[in-house]
Amino acid sequence: MNTLYHLKNISKNYSNEEEPALNISELTIPKNKVVVILGNSGSGKTTLLNLLGMLDYPELSSSKNDATSNSIFDYYPDNTQNPVSLLNTTKKFERLRRQNFGFVFQESYLLNSV
């Protein structure tokens, strides 16, 4: 298996929106491949990248009948193919994120405008 991410039944909702910002039934992203994310404005591209980079977390439900009870959000950080589930929001992800990810944000607020 040459997988970097495997997502199944993942969604992200924002409180001010009626429809989910992102709703993925299943998506596998391979390792060592260039992946392009295309879509219209508001289609969930940035939301997906924020989830993949552990800057945000998907919706979770405690209901056993809900689709998210079958959710999978696995990240494969090494060659052992032992996935890390990104459905948890614990402190261990801060270290994993620092060691494995780099971001260039759409809106950069690092410097004040002159």
Side-chain angles (χ1 to χ4, degrees), residues 14-108:
Y14 295 106
S15 60
N16 59 345
E17 299 291 326
E18 290 182 22
E19 292 189 30
L22 185 69
N23 193 6
I24 296 174
S25 56
E26 189 156 11
L27 172 66
T28 300
I29 298 176
K31 280 186 179 178
N32 303 319
K33 299 286 182 185
V34 174
V35 177
V36 177
I37 302 170
L38 297 172
N40 294 332
S41 178
S43 64
K45 300 178 300 290
T46 299
T47 300
L48 175 61
L49 291 174
N50 286 340
L51 293 177
L52 295 177
M54 293 182 280
L55 296 175
D56 204 354
Y57 299 97
E59 303 301 317
L60 299 177
S61 173
S62 58
S63 168
K64 294 289 183 189
N65 297 326
D66 194 288
T68 57
S69 63
N70 298 325
S71 293
I72 297 170
F73 190 1
D74 290 342
Y75 168 59
Y76 296 81
D78 53 35
N79 291 327
T80 64
Q81 293 303 308
N82 295 322
V84 174
S85 175
L86 299 183
L87 291 177
N88 302 317
T89 57
T90 61
K91 288 276 190 182
K92 71 178 180 176
F93 296 118
E94 291 177 12
R95 183 171 44 119
L96 184 65
R97 183 176 50 237
R98 281 194 307 263
Q99 292 174 346
N100 294 292
F101 294 92
F103 272 89
V104 177
F105 293 96
Q106 281 181 316
E107 303 289 330
S108 178

